[in-house]
C-alpha cells in the first residue's frame, strides 16, 4: 500500500484530482510552478502544496523528502519538457509514474477559417502573411519566440494570466500597454467575441487544449467574427503517446492502492464526474458547509460563463435578488429571493437539507457587488465560499465606446456617497456606477460642467439596451426602471499637473490672512493625508489648505471650519473656483463647531481663537490616533502648544521652524522679502 501521492500541475485536471484526493482522504501534495497557481489552489480549499519550477534533480529531492510512492503528472499537454523531467525523476527514484491526460479534441476540423499546425514555427509561418492584428491566446510561455518571428510587434496582442511572471514575459517579448490583456479564465464564446472585436483582431493563435482550455469557445468566437484561427496541435497526440490515463482511471488506481472502497470511490466520482466545477468548488475538510457566489453577467443566459452554468447545474437551491433569479430559466431547483449573507445563513440553518447552495448576483461579483459583503458574513459563519466571476456590463459598455479597460477608472456611486466630480476632474475616462436612472441624471448634471462628453449605457446586454449621450434639456430617461452606467470624458484632465501644489496668486485672497505657499507645502507633507482621510482645517481662512487637501484625492473628505464672515465668503469662492466638491464649509468656532462632525483622521490648526487645548482635546477624543499639524507664528502660541503636549495623549512632537524669503525686483536689484518665521508642529495621537 502506498503512503503519499505527489501531483504535478497547476492545471484544471490537477485541481480536480486534488479535490478527489481530499474527498477520498488520500494523503497527497500538489506541486505548482508559480505563486499564482498556489493562490488558485488555496482558493479551492487545497492547503498541501509546494511552489516553484523544478528540474529532474529537484524533483528527485522532493520525492525523497517525504514518503511519496506515486507521482501523478497532470501538467499541461504542451509542457512536454516538464513531463520529461518528472518521468526521469520517477525512474531514478523507483516511484510509480502516472500521466493524467487531457482530452484535447476540438469540435472543429481544418477548413479555410480553422488551420491546424504541428509546431510553433509552422504557426508563425501562417501568421506572417496576415496584415491585421494578431491576438495570441497561447499563454505567456513562448511569447518572445512568437514576436521574434513576426515583423511588426505593434500589431500583436496577448491574453495572459494576471500575474507578475506572465506580464514580465509580455514585456520581454516587446509588448506594452494595451497589447497586454491580463485576465483569468474560463472565457465564454461571448467574451472571446468581445475581446476579438475590442482589439480588432484579424487572426487568433491558440493551442489544441480541449474543452478544459476553452478551445471550442475560442474557435466559435473566431468563426462568429469571420476571422482565421491558427491552432497548434497537442504534441502528445502527435507523438502518439499511449501511456496516459483519464481521471477516473487514475483515481481507480489510487483507490486500490490506498484502500478506498469501490462504493466510496463511486460516490466521490459521481458527486461531480470529474467536471471543471470540482476544481472551483471542492469539498473542504475544514468545513462541511460550502456555498458558491456567482456573477450572472449583464443580460440573459447568453452571457453565462461555462463555470456558472456548471455551478447552476449542480445546485440544489439558488439565492439572489428577484431581478437576477428571474433570468434563470429552465433550472428546476428552489429559487429564494434573498441575497444578503445573514439572510442566506438563516435560511440554510433552518433548511439543512440543502447541501449545494448557489447565490447569484448581477454582472461581475469582482466589481462593486453585494457579493463581497455576503462572502464576509458567510465565511464568518463557517462557510467555505467559492466565487465565480461573471461578465461585467462595464466590458460591454467599453466595447460600444471603443475604449480600453486599461484607459478608464471605475467608481461606484451605487447606494453610497461618492465624489464623482473629484474623479472627473482628474480622470480623462471615467465609468460611474449609479444607483438608478434618477441618480444617474443627478450625477450627470453635477459633472456636466467638467466634461466634454457624457454617455449613458442603459440595460446593457439586454433587449432593452440603449446607449445615448446625456442632454440636460432632455430628462425623459430619468424614470426608466432599469440599470445604467455613466461614461464621462474630460480631455482637460490630461493637462492637470501631476506634481500638485497651488501658487498663492491662484487663490482669491482679499484681506484675510493665508497660509503661504511654502509653509502650506511643508504642512501638507507633514500631515501625510491618506486616500480616505477625514480632514479638519480649523481656522481655514481663505481655504488654501482645505483646497489643496481636497484636490489631493477625490475620496478625502475636508471640513473647513471658520467663524469670520469675510473669510467664509472667500472660502466659498475658492471652493467653487477650484471645483473642490469634497470640501464642506462649517461656520462656527472650534471646538463647538466640531461636535457633530465625523471623527477626523487628520487635522490642521491654522488659528485657534485662544482655544488650542480644548480643540486638541476634542480632536483626540473623536480619534485617539489622529495626526495633527499646527502652525504657530507667535512665541506665545508655540508655548501654549508645548504646554498642551505635556498633558495630552500624543507622541513626541515633530517641531520645525521655517524661515523663507522671496525675492522681488526693486529698481535694478532683487531684494529679499521675508515671510514671517513659522513653527510647524506635528503631533501623532496615541491609540
Amino acid at each position: 500500500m502506498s503512503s503519499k501521492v505527489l501531483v504535478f500541475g497547476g492545471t484544471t485536471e490537477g485541481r480536480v484530482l486534488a479535490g478527489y484526493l481530499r474527498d477520498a482522504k488520500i494523503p497527497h501534495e500538489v506541486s505548482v510552478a508559480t505563486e499564482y497557481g498556489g493562490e488558485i489552489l488555496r482558493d479551492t480549499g487545497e492547503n498541501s502544496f509546494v511552489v516553484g519550477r523544478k528540474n529532474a534533480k529537484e524533483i528527485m529531492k522532493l520525492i525523497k523528502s517525504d514518503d511519496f510512492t506515486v507521482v501523478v503528472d497532470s501538467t499541461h499537454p504542451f509542457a512536454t519538457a516538464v513531463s520529461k523531467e518528472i518521468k526521469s525523476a520517477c525512474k531514478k527514484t523507483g516511484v510509480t509514474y502516472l500521466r493524467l491526460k487531457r482530452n484535447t479534441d476540438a469540435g472543429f476540423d481544418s477548413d479555410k477559417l480553422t488551420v491546424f499546425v504541428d509546431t510553433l514555427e509552422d504557426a508563425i509561418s501562417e501568421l506572417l502573411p496576415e496584415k491585421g492584428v494578431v491576438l495570441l491566446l497561447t499563454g505567456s510561455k513562448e511569447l518572445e519566440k512568437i514576436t521574434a518571428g513576426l515583423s511588426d510587434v505593434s500589431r500583436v496582442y496577448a491574453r495572459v494570466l494576471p500575474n507578475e511572471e506572465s506580464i514580465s514575459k509580455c514585456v520581454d517579448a516587446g509588448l506594452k500597454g494595451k497589447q497586454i490583456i491580463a485576465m483569468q479564465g474560463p472565457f465564454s464564446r461571448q467574451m472571446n467575441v468581445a475581446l476579438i472585436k475590442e482589439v480588432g483582431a484579424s487572426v487568433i493563435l491558440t493551442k489544441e487544449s480541449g474543452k478544459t482550455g476553452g478551445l471550442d469557445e475560442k474557435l466559435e468566437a473566431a468563426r462568429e467574427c469571420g476571422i482565421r484561427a491558427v491552432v497548434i496541435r497537442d504534441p502528445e497526440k502527435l507523438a502518439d503517446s499511449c501511456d496516459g490515463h483519464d481521471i477516473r482511471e487514475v483515481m481507480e488506481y489510487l483507490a486500490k492502492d490506498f484502500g478506498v472502497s469501490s462504493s466510496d470511490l463511486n460516490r466521490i466520482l459521481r458527486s461531480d464526474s470529474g467536471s471543471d466545477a470540482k476544481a472551483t468548488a471542492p469539498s473542504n475538510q475544514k468545513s462541511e458547509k460550502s456555498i458558491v457566489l456567482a456573477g450572472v453577467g449583464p443580460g440573459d443566459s447568453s452571457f453565462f460563463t461555462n463555470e456558472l452554468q456548471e455551478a447552476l447545474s449542480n445546485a440544489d437551491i439558488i439565492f439572489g435578488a428577484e431581478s437576477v433569479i428571474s433570468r434563470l430559466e429552465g433550472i428546476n431547483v428552489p429559487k429564494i429571493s434573498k441575497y444578503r449573507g445573514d439572510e442566506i445563513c438563516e435560511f440554510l440553518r433552518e433548511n439543512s437539507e440543502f447541501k449545494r447552495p448557489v447565490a447569484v448576483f448581477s454582472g461581475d461579483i469582482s466589481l462593486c457587488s453585494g457579493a463581497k459583503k455576503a462572502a464576509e458574513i458567510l465565511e464568518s459563519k463557517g462557510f467555505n465560499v467559492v466565487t465565480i466571476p461573471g461578465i461585467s456590463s462595464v466590458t460591454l459598455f467599453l466595447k460600444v465606446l471603443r475604449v480600453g479597460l486599461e484607459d478608464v477608472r471605475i467608481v461606484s456611486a451605487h447606494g453610497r456617497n461618492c465624489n464623482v466630480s473629484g474623479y472627473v476632474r482628474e480622470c480623462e475616462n471615467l465609468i460611474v456606477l449609479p444607483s438608478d436612472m434618477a441618480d444617474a441624471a443627478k450625477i450627470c448634471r453635477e459633472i456636466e460642467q467638467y466634461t466634454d462628453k457624457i454617455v449613458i449605457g442603459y440595460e446593457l446586454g439586454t433587449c432593452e439596451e440603449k446607449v445615448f449621450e446625456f442632454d440636460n434639456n432632455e430628462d425623459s430617461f430619468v424614470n426608466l426602471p432599469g440599470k445604467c452606467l455613466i461614461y464621462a470624458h474630460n480631455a482637460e484632465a490630461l493637462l492637470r499637473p501631476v506634481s500638485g501644489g497651488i501658487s498663492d496668486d491662484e487663490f482669491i485672497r482679499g484681506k484675510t490672512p493665508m497660509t503661504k505657499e511654502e509653509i502650506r507645502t511643508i504642512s501638507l507633507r507633514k500631515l501625510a493625508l491618506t486616500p480616505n482621510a477625514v480632514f479638519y482645517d480649523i481656522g481655514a481662512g481663505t481655504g488654501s489648505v482645505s483646497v489643496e487637501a481636497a484636490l489631493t484625492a477625490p475620496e478625502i473628505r475636508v471640513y473647513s471650519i471658520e467663524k469670520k464672515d469675510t473669510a467664509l465668503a472667500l472660502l466659498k469662492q475658492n471652493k467653487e473656483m477650484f471645483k473642490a466638491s469634497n470640501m464642506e464649509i462649517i461656520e462656527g468656532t472650534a471646538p463647538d463647531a466640531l461636535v457633530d462632525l465625523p471623527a477626523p483622521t487628520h487635522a490642521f490648526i491654522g488659528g485657534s481663537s485662544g482655544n488650542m487645548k480644548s480643540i486638541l482635546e476634542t480632536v483626540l477624543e473623536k480619534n485617539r490616533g489622529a495626526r495633527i499639524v499646527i502652525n504657530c507664528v507667535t512665541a506665545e502660541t508655540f508655548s501654549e502648544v508645548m504646554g498642551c503636549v505635556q498633558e495630552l495623549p500624543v507622541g513626541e512632537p515633530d517641531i520645525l521652524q521655517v524661515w523663507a524669503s522671496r525675492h522681488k525686483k526693486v529698481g535694478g536689484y532683487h531684494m529679499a522679502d521675508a515671510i514671517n518665521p513659522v513653527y510647524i508642529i506635528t503631533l501623532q495621537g496615541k491609540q
Side-chain angles (χ1 to χ4, degrees), residues 225-239:
C225 296
I227 67 171
R228 296 178 73 225
V230 178
V231 186
I232 305 172
R233 292 191 186 278
D234 176 2
E236 289 186 331
K237 192 185 294 183
L238 288 171

Side-chain angles (χ1 to χ4, degrees), residues 32-44 46 49-51:
V32 294
T34 65
E35 291 288 348
Y36 184 69
E39 289 173 12
I40 296 175
L41 269 178
R42 190 180 291 110
D43 288 344
T44 69
E46 181 61 64
F49 60 88
V50 293
V51 175

Side-chain angles (χ1 to χ4, degrees), residues 393-415:
S393 56
V394 171
T395 303
L396 301 187
F397 199 22
L398 294 176
K399 170 189 169 184
V400 175
L401 296 167
R402 302 190 68 79
V403 177
L405 182 60
E406 73 276 11
D407 295 324
V408 302
R409 182 161 187 178
I410 304 167
V411 297
S412 175
H414 185 82

Side-chain angles (χ1 to χ4, degrees), residues 596-636:
D596 295 328
L597 300 182
T601 57
H602 301 75
F604 175 77
I605 305 175
S608 65
S609 299
N611 300 324
M612 183 64 73
K613 185 176 181 182
S614 57
I615 290 172
L616 291 171
E617 287 175 339
T618 301
V619 169
L620 292 168
E621 281 173 9
K622 283 177 165 285
N623 178 11
R624 293 180 63 86
R627 187 172 180 84
I628 305 166
V629 170
I630 307 165
N631 281 184
C632 304
V633 178
T634 67
E636 288 77 11

Side-chain angles (χ1 to χ4, degrees), residues 545-603:
V545 173
S546 290
V547 168
E548 287 227 38
L551 298 185
T552 301
E555 302 94 334
I556 293 176
R557 287 182 288 165
V558 177
Y559 296 91
S560 309
I561 297 94
E562 180 56 59
K563 66 176 183 178
K564 297 178 181 177
D565 291 341
T566 53
L568 285 165
L570 290 171
L571 266 173
K572 292 174 183 175
Q573 291 178 62
N574 282 317
K575 174 185 174 179
E576 291 172 4
M577 182 172 69
F578 288 97
K579 302 179 178 64
S581 52
N582 52 332
M583 172 181 157
E584 184 175 340
I585 299 169
I586 308 297
E587 183 176 354
T589 303
D592 294 341
L594 311 180
V595 173
D596 295 328
L597 300 182
T601 57
H602 301 75

Side-chain angles (χ1 to χ4, degrees), residues 391-546:
I391 297 173
S392 168
S393 56
V394 171
T395 303
L396 301 187
F397 199 22
L398 294 176
K399 170 189 169 184
V400 175
L401 296 167
R402 302 190 68 79
V403 177
L405 182 60
E406 73 276 11
D407 295 324
V408 302
R409 182 161 187 178
I410 304 167
V411 297
S412 175
H414 185 82
R416 56 188 292 196
N417 292 324
C418 179
N419 179 24
V420 179
S421 297
Y423 286 106
V424 168
R425 184 176 58 242
E426 65 177 32
C427 301
E428 180 191 9
N429 299 293
L430 182 72
I431 297 287
V432 185
L433 284 64
S435 297
D436 51 31
M437 290 299 287
D439 185 41
K442 176 175 173 289
I443 290 171
C444 289
R445 293 188 186 104
E446 289 175 355
I447 66 175
E448 186 179 23
Q449 60 180 311
Y450 312 132
T451 64
D452 47 79
K453 182 169 71 171
I454 300 175
V455 180
I456 294 176
Y458 174 75
E459 284 294 288
L460 295 161
T462 74
C463 58
E464 301 294 325
E465 179 177 308
K466 296 182 180 69
V467 178
F468 54 92
E469 288 201 30
F470 171 74
D471 181 354
N472 203 8
N473 298 317
E474 173 57 61
D475 60 0
S476 59
F477 67 88
V478 172
N479 297 318
L480 289 173
K483 297 178 180 178
C484 73
L485 297 175
I486 302 169
Y487 168 72
H489 184 266
N490 175 20
E492 290 189 1
L494 296 173
L495 305 177
R496 187 169 181 257
V498 295
S499 59
I502 304 172
S503 64
D504 287 350
D505 53 14
E506 291 183 66
F507 288 97
I508 301 169
R509 298 176 59 177
K511 295 183 179 180
T512 299
M514 182 174 74
T515 303
K516 298 297 189 294
E517 181 180 339
E518 295 78 8
I519 307 303
R520 188 168 65 246
T521 300
I522 297 173
S523 297
L524 285 165
R525 170 63 187 86
K526 293 291 185 180
L527 275 165
L529 293 170
T530 51
N532 291 300
V534 176
F535 174 55
Y536 291 178
D537 181 6
I538 300 169
T542 62
S544 62
V545 173
S546 290

Side-chain angles (χ1 to χ4, degrees), residues 135 137 159 187-201 204 216-227 303 391 395-396 399:
L135 176 58
L137 304 177
R159 184 171 70 191
F187 302 104
S188 65
R189 172 186 58 80
Q190 295 90 342
M191 198 158 185
N192 287 326
V193 167
L195 179 59
I196 289 169
K197 290 182 177 179
E198 174 66 30
V199 303
I204 66 169
D216 283 355
E217 286 79 6
K218 297 172 187 175
L219 299 184
E220 287 169 2
R223 284 176 178 247
E224 183 172 329
C225 296
I227 67 171
F303 291 97
I391 297 173
T395 303
L396 301 187
K399 170 189 169 184

